[in-house]
Amino acid sequence: MDSEDRGRVLDPAQDGAALKALTHPLRLTLLGVLRQHGPATASELAVRTGESSASTSYHLRVLAKYAFVAEADHRDSRERRWKSVHDVTSWSNEAMHASPGGSVILSVLRRRQIEHLQQSLDRHEADLDSGRLGEEWQESSGLSDMMPRLTPESLAELWEVFRAKTAELTARDAEDPRAEQVVLFTAGLPLAPEPVAGTDAAAAGDAS
């Protein structure tokens, strides 16, 4: 994969079919594997995902139809190799909620990310237990569930700071042989206050 950071921003008004195509779990898995490990054939991806090569080949063609993947340089002429076209896919949450069916698609995509989190946690623990990851990673790895009180503007600023710092550290560690692939999951999910007990019942009584 090329070294430069390449992002694709999807517009739900124009790219609804592409967004819907991403909701298939195997397609997201294939795209993630290509982004993480680089170009591969349908057969190589079948081995990595436990699917049939016919299945991976079909879903790769769907991803190619919507410009998520493209043909890569071939080692030989016997089998097609695929690569991810972009490093990151993003969208406007506001636009998603405003588009027909966008909220459902957004919910599905977020839940696919939660599934990826569970798979990443399982692999992380197995890598530590087997010694594939050294003990120096024990202290810095982990999950967090902090719950600060923030305004919408502060939450947006926090995202920007996080992205900028991640890019800075990634560039700094690019040539360090100790660097490993790190799966970072971040969530900023505002929660409305829980209703006071009896409020709904009282409102219903007043309405009657």
Side-chain angles (χ1 to χ4, degrees):
M1 185 178 295
D2 297 334
S3 59
E4 69 269 16
D5 185 24
R6 301 164 300 160
R8 178 183 180 186
V9 180
L10 295 176
D11 178 357
Q14 300 180 5
D15 304 313
L19 282 162
K20 188 174 181 179
L22 278 185
T23 61
H24 192 285
L26 181 55
R27 290 173 200 154
L28 273 181
T29 297
L30 295 173
L31 186 57
V33 170
L34 291 175
R35 287 176 174 175
Q36 183 174 0
H37 299 286
T41 66
S43 296
E44 291 168 343
L45 291 168
V47 172
R48 186 176 287 273
T49 60
E51 300 285 338
S52 69
S53 57
S55 180
T56 55
S57 180
Y58 167 75
H59 289 294
L60 284 166
R61 290 196 300 272
V62 175
L63 289 170
K65 175 182 177 180
Y66 295 107
F68 292 110
V69 304
E71 288 192 45
D73 293 335
H74 303 314
R75 294 174 179 168
D76 55 50
S77 59
R78 290 177 297 177
E79 195 166 13
R80 180 182 299 175
R81 291 175 64 78
W82 298 92
K83 66 179 180 179
S84 172
V85 177
H86 309 94
D87 295 332
V88 178
T89 304
S90 61
W91 49 79
S92 163
N93 288 337
E94 184 178 0
M96 288 287 280
H97 282 288
S99 66
S103 296
V104 175
I105 292 175
L106 184 58
S107 179
V108 171
L109 289 171
R110 285 174 169 174
R111 278 154 179 76
R112 295 282 181 257
Q113 290 176 311
I114 296 299
E115 293 172 5
H116 185 205
L117 172 59
Q118 181 63 62
Q119 294 165 358
S120 299
L121 176 60
D122 292 343
R123 178 178 167 183
H124 166 72
E125 292 176 340
D127 286 346
L128 284 173
D129 291 342
S130 67
R132 288 191 295 270
L133 277 178
E135 293 183 358
E136 67 272 14
W137 289 100
Q138 289 275 15
E139 190 64 29
S140 58
S141 63
L143 301 173
S144 173
D145 58 354
M146 295 183 294
M147 298 185 68
R149 291 181 61 84
L150 301 172
T151 63
E153 295 78 15
S154 292
L155 181 55
E157 181 180 342
L158 182 59
W159 278 112
E160 288 302 317
V161 170
F162 177 81
R163 281 190 280 262
K165 191 63 178 180
T166 301
E168 174 192 333
L169 295 177
T170 299
R172 189 185 73 182
D173 293 348
E175 304 302 325
D176 193 324
R178 299 173 303 135
E180 299 284 3
Q181 188 85 50
V182 176
V183 179
L184 284 176
F185 279 87
T186 54
L189 307 174
L191 304 176
E194 294 186 4
V196 177
T199 300
D200 292 342
D206 293 339
S208 64

